[in-house]
Amino acid sequence: MCLIYIAWRRHPRHRLVVAANRDEYHARSALPAHWWKDAPGVLAGRDLEAGGTWLGVGAGGRFAAITNYRDPGAERLPGAPSRGALVSAFIAGDESAEAYLGRILREGHRYHGFSLIAMDEDTLAVASNRSRGVVRLDPGIYGLSNHLLDTPWPKVTDGKTELERLLAGPEVRVPDLFALLGPDDLRHHEAPVADIESDRGRMQWRSSRFIIGADYGTRASAVILLDAGGAGVFVERSFDASGAMVGDVAFELGTGHASHESGRGTGFAGAPG
C-alpha cells in the first residue's frame, strides 16, 4: 500500500481498524480482493504480474500490509523478488508476526525497499529493510506511507489525527473511513507520473492521500475492521484514472467464506512492484 492508517487496540469493539490507499500504475494488471484458491484462507487483492498482494487478511484474523520505501537514489536489484509475496506468505502461514518479520529482515537485502506490517492473534509488529529490527507496536494509532512508520509527512500526521476523532464515538463507520482516504477540495491533486519525479511533484506526492493521474494514481481503497476474535469486515473500492469508483467488494469475516458481496464493475486494484 502507499498509505495505511491503523488503530491497534484503540476502540472497545474493534481490535484492529485499517484504512488504506494503494497507488500504482494503471497499466499494471491486478484483481480486486477475493479468497485465493491456491492459498486457502487468504483474502486479498492480487497482482497479476508478480502474483503477490499489497494488503490482506486471513480466515483466522491474521493481517498484513506492505508499502514500498521510496528512495530514488537506491541501487536497482536485478531479479529482486516481489515484495507482495511477503504479505500473502505471512497470511497463509502460522508463524508469529515477530518471528516472521525477523526472518524476513535477515533476507531483506534481496528486496527493494519496503515496510511490512503483520498481525497475528496477539501482536501487531512492523519491520523495514531500511531500518533495524522488528518493532512490536503498543496500542495506538499509526500511519505508514512510502517511508518508515509514522514518518511525519502531512498526509500521515493529519490522517492519524482524523482517525483518532473517528474512533472517539461508540461506532466506527465504514463510510467515514473511506472519506478519510478519499479526495476532497483541500486534498486531491492531479499528478501525472512524469511530475512525480520533479521536486514539486514529490512534494505533492507526499502530501496527497488520493492521487488522480492518467498513468499513475490511487487504484484502490480498503477498510478493515476486526474484533478480538478475528470477526469483522473487509471492504475494498477500486478506481479508474479519473478517480471514479469502478467497483467494490465486501466480505464479512469470521463466518466462513460464504458472506461475500460484489459491487459494480471489475475493480482492478493496484499492486506492489
Side-chain angles (χ1 to χ4, degrees), residues 133-151:
V134 176
V135 178
R136 182 172 183 166
L137 299 178
D138 294 326
I141 295 175
Y142 301 94
L144 177 64
S145 188
N146 297 94
H147 205 261
L148 301 178
L149 187 74
D150 286 341
T151 293

Side-chain angles (χ1 to χ4, degrees), residues 23-227:
D23 304 334
E24 183 54 274
Y25 290 95
H26 293 292
R28 183 158 183 153
S29 297
L31 293 175
H34 61 285
W35 291 104
W36 290 15
K37 292 183 179 180
D38 60 338
V42 174
L43 173 60
R46 194 158 202 175
D47 173 25
L48 294 180
E49 293 190 17
T53 188
W54 48 95
L55 171 149
V57 298
R62 292 166 73 86
F63 162 79
I66 196 166
T67 64
N68 298 346
Y69 185 99
R70 184 167 177 80
D71 184 3
E75 180 183 357
R76 299 297 296 175
L77 302 175
S82 170
R83 291 161 286 191
L86 299 176
V87 174
S88 54
F90 172 77
I91 296 169
D94 58 7
E95 198 170 2
S96 74
E98 289 179 285
Y100 180 82
L101 292 175
R103 179 167 60 82
I104 294 304
L105 281 189
R106 291 192 290 273
E107 306 170 358
H109 62 280
R110 300 172 53 219
Y111 296 86
H112 291 119
F114 67 82
S115 294
L116 177 62
I117 295 176
M119 184 193 79
D120 57 29
E121 293 182 357
D122 303 310
T123 301
L124 180 70
V126 63
S128 172
N129 65 347
R130 294 297 184 267
S131 184
R132 292 184 178 182
V134 176
V135 178
R136 182 172 183 166
L137 299 178
D138 294 326
I141 295 175
Y142 301 94
L144 177 64
S145 188
N146 297 94
H147 205 261
L148 301 178
L149 187 74
D150 286 341
T151 293
W153 293 347
K155 67 178 179 181
V156 173
T157 57
D158 294 349
K160 287 172 56 182
T161 299
E162 292 182 35
L163 178 56
E164 187 167 21
R165 177 180 57 80
L166 295 177
L167 296 175
E171 300 292 334
V172 179
R173 300 180 64 250
V174 170
D176 291 340
L177 294 173
F178 276 118
L180 172 69
L181 298 168
D184 62 28
D185 292 341
L186 298 176
R187 216 180 273 159
H188 90 272
H189 68 279
E190 293 194 5
V193 69
D195 289 344
I196 295 174
E197 301 304 327
S198 68
D199 290 342
R200 178 174 177 271
R202 283 195 292 271
M203 291 178 63
Q204 290 180 319
W205 170 78
R206 290 190 177 98
S207 64
S208 179
R209 301 180 200 174
F210 192 102
I211 297 174
I212 298 174
D215 299 314
Y216 178 94
T218 299
R219 299 275 303 274
S221 297
V223 167
I224 298 171
L225 302 174
L226 294 178
D227 67 17

